[in-house]
Amino acid sequence: METTAQTPDEGAAGRLAQDLALVLPALHRALDRRVDADFPHPKPAEGQIALMRLIRDREGVTVREAAEVLLVKPNNLSATVTQMVAAGLVERRRDPDDKRVTHLHLTPTAAERTHAVDELIGGYVEQALAGLSDGERGALGAAVGALRLLERGLHPSSAS
């Protein structure tokens, strides 16, 4: 069996990659469980929340555009949108110039609930950050930009 020697930097990068791959989903699950316990309404599925955030941030996005951003198949997202329209969370509006195209908009209820979920999550993280040292908070603050760049680098559209 042939082995390749890793330089110390490569070994550290591999450990960092593994640590990030484990801790980020664990953070997400911990937040999700807290929201499940505290949200006063039936909590939408994570995919629905992600779509509502996207529509909030890109009002009028199409299903195809949303599917590309959320990394899901357009037909799967279309089924989710149909469920959300039936639940009174999303509205489809026809494009005035091209009747084949529909744009997605949040209903007031969805906008309120998306905001409420984001407020809960922000409060949980703020509370947890309060238990960290100034240096630890500074390190996390500095890491946010790098994590965003990491996410862009992992996005399939960046792998040409």
Side-chain angles (χ1 to χ4, degrees):
M1 177 156 83
E2 194 174 312
T3 61
T4 59
Q6 287 186 333
T7 66
D9 285 347
E10 289 172 335
R15 283 188 301 281
L16 176 60
Q18 289 175 344
D19 288 347
L20 284 171
L22 293 173
V23 76
L24 295 175
L27 286 169
H28 178 79
R29 283 191 306 276
L31 289 168
D32 197 47
R33 286 188 183 115
R34 296 275 310 265
V35 171
D36 280 342
D38 296 339
F39 194 58
H41 307 284
K43 184 179 153 286
E46 183 57 35
Q48 291 181 347
I49 291 173
L51 179 59
M52 289 189 292
R53 286 181 180 132
L54 179 64
I55 296 169
R56 176 196 61 204
D57 297 342
R58 295 178 56 182
E59 187 75 19
V61 67
T62 66
V63 169
R64 181 163 302 283
E65 293 164 343
E68 288 175 19
V69 171
L70 298 174
L71 304 176
V72 296
K73 294 179 181 177
N75 59 331
N76 291 348
L77 189 66
S78 183
T80 298
V81 168
T82 298
Q83 293 169 349
M84 294 174 74
V85 167
L89 299 171
V90 172
E91 295 175 354
R92 285 184 174 119
R93 297 182 193 161
R94 294 254 180 239
D95 186 295
D97 298 323
D98 186 346
K99 300 297 182 199
R100 298 170 297 171
V101 176
T102 58
H103 298 276
L104 304 176
H105 299 269
L106 292 182
T107 64
T109 297
E112 175 189 313
R113 290 186 182 175
T114 303
H115 178 74
V117 167
D118 289 345
E119 287 289 311
L120 280 172
I121 290 171
Y124 302 144
V125 174
E126 189 174 341
Q127 184 180 32
L129 287 171
L132 301 179
S133 71
D134 288 344
E136 290 164 332
R137 284 191 299 272
L140 287 171
V144 170
L147 287 169
R148 286 190 177 124
L149 290 172
L150 180 63
E151 185 273 331
R152 283 189 216 127
L154 292 171
H155 197 283
S157 66
S158 68
S160 302

